[in-house]
Amino acid sequence: MRRLLSVLLLATALAGCGDQSGQAGGDGKFSIVTAFYPLQFLSERIGGDAVSVTNLTKPGAEPHDIELTPRQVGDVAGAGLAVYVRGFQPAVDEAIGQEAKDRAFDAASVVTLLQAGAGDGHEHEEAESGQDPHVWLDPVRLATIADALAARLGEADPGNAAGYTSRALALHAELDTLNDEFARGLKTCERRELVTSHTAFAYLASRYDLHQVGITGISPEAEPSPQRLAAVAQEARGTGTTTIYFETLVSPAVAETLAREVGAKTAVLDPLEGLVDETGDYFSVMRQNLAALSAGLGCTR
């Protein structure tokens, strides 16, 4: 009897270990781990009630250089799908490579990427490929990613595939509407130079025919050289820039310094790397960005 009990206990333990594949959590929902906010947003909107989503980047945290706790690495290992942007967060790349390589969705792999720092006067070390990871700031690319994520979820969780497809179609339509709003709102502007504290906005600028001028490169923690600051100041004066944009989650000090230098004001342009106000979402923040751009660039509808 004692031997039989030992065998049963061992079998139960092994069954518990097998459940760490993440196909379903304790609530029976398909488990998704996301690297940072925009991917959490996509996963929740497409997954609906069929999924349980865990975000590795805490609200209000700057995501570029996060370090994962052992528990978070365990979340990656136990997820049915890990959703990330390769090259954006080294710690996440490492955890997924070791723990969820066959259960991962790289959002950047399904769209055409821009080269990091192309034309902005900076050299970047962001990713090995030298590509800019900030794809979510282009609603058109994000819609493509949404479609691909729905398909990947359908493969991993075929019982809910129809729901994933349906919700992705609805989200795609909303993103098309947002793209139309940006295209109309930024069509006619007095200025098209977008002076930002760091170059997170290349996809947005490319989509809507703006010229991004970054004080620093893709890394928000980088400090500009005096030469770079002088070059941006000269360009800002030459183009009549009235607004220097700084982002949430990092200090506005450099943008404020430049603004004083050229006689401009500052305004927030949110790169949506993390959600600051949890009462909002991707759409509300992007529309706030549109209003800030419209005001700063002198746009008329």
Side-chain angles (χ1 to χ4, degrees), residues 42 59 67 170 227 282:
L42 284 185
E67 296 295 333
Q227 294 82 359
Y282 176 86

Side-chain angles (χ1 to χ4, degrees), residues 67-292:
E67 296 295 333
L68 301 185
T69 65
R71 180 169 183 171
Q72 288 177 310
V73 174
D75 289 338
V76 173
L81 189 67
V83 184
Y84 74 127
V85 171
R86 187 179 65 83
F88 185 59
Q89 296 167 292
V92 175
D93 290 359
E94 182 179 0
I96 289 175
Q98 293 179 354
E99 306 291 346
K101 188 173 183 180
D102 297 330
R103 291 172 286 106
F105 174 79
D106 174 11
S109 69
V110 298
V111 292
T112 301
L113 299 183
L114 300 176
Q115 288 300 114
D120 70 2
H122 291 288
E123 294 180 356
H124 299 289
E125 67 291 334
E126 182 69 24
E128 291 182 3
S129 62
Q131 294 172 322
D132 187 335
H134 298 82
V135 292
W136 57 90
L137 290 169
D138 175 3
V140 176
R141 281 181 170 88
L142 194 64
T144 299
I145 293 170
D147 294 342
L149 176 57
R152 182 70 176 83
L153 282 169
E155 294 173 0
D157 182 25
N160 289 303
Y164 298 143
T165 299
S166 175
R167 286 185 288 270
L169 285 171
L171 179 58
H172 194 130
E174 289 185 61
L175 289 166
D176 284 346
T177 298
L178 181 66
N179 174 52
D180 290 342
E181 291 176 19
F182 267 81
R184 291 195 306 271
L186 300 177
K187 182 177 181 180
T188 306
C189 304
E190 294 176 10
R191 296 167 295 280
R192 307 208 73 82
E193 286 72 30
L194 174 59
V195 183
T196 62
S197 58
H198 101 277
T199 54
F201 301 94
Y203 290 93
L204 187 151
S206 176
R207 178 64 59 188
Y208 303 111
D209 192 28
L210 303 176
H211 172 54
Q212 178 182 229
V213 180
I215 302 172
T216 62
I218 283 184
S219 172
E221 303 300 328
E223 292 290 333
S225 66
Q227 294 82 359
R228 180 59 189 170
L229 201 58
V232 176
Q234 181 178 4
E235 185 164 359
R237 291 191 193 96
T239 57
T241 295
T242 62
T243 304
I244 309 297
Y245 292 98
F246 67 93
E247 66 180 73
T248 55
L249 303 180
V250 296
S251 170
V254 173
E256 290 171 346
T257 297
L258 180 64
R260 287 193 298 270
E261 176 72 18
V262 302
K265 61 183 180 180
T266 59
V268 172
L269 196 62
D270 195 329
L272 267 161
E273 293 172 354
L275 198 62
V276 177
D277 180 2
E278 293 189 74
T279 63
D281 68 359
Y282 176 86
F283 285 108
S284 65
V285 174
M286 283 294 283
R287 289 187 169 105
Q288 290 169 10
N289 282 344
L290 176 56

Side-chain angles (χ1 to χ4, degrees), residues 32-72:
I32 303 174
V33 165
T34 61
F36 58 104
Y37 173 69
L39 305 179
Q40 175 191 0
F41 168 76
L42 284 185
S43 298
E44 290 176 343
R45 285 293 306 269
I46 295 169
D49 292 337
V51 303
S52 174
V53 179
T54 299
N55 188 15
L56 296 174
T57 303
K58 303 295 184 184
E62 208 293 313
H64 283 77
D65 298 315
I66 66 165
E67 296 295 333
L68 301 185
T69 65
R71 180 169 183 171
Q72 288 177 310

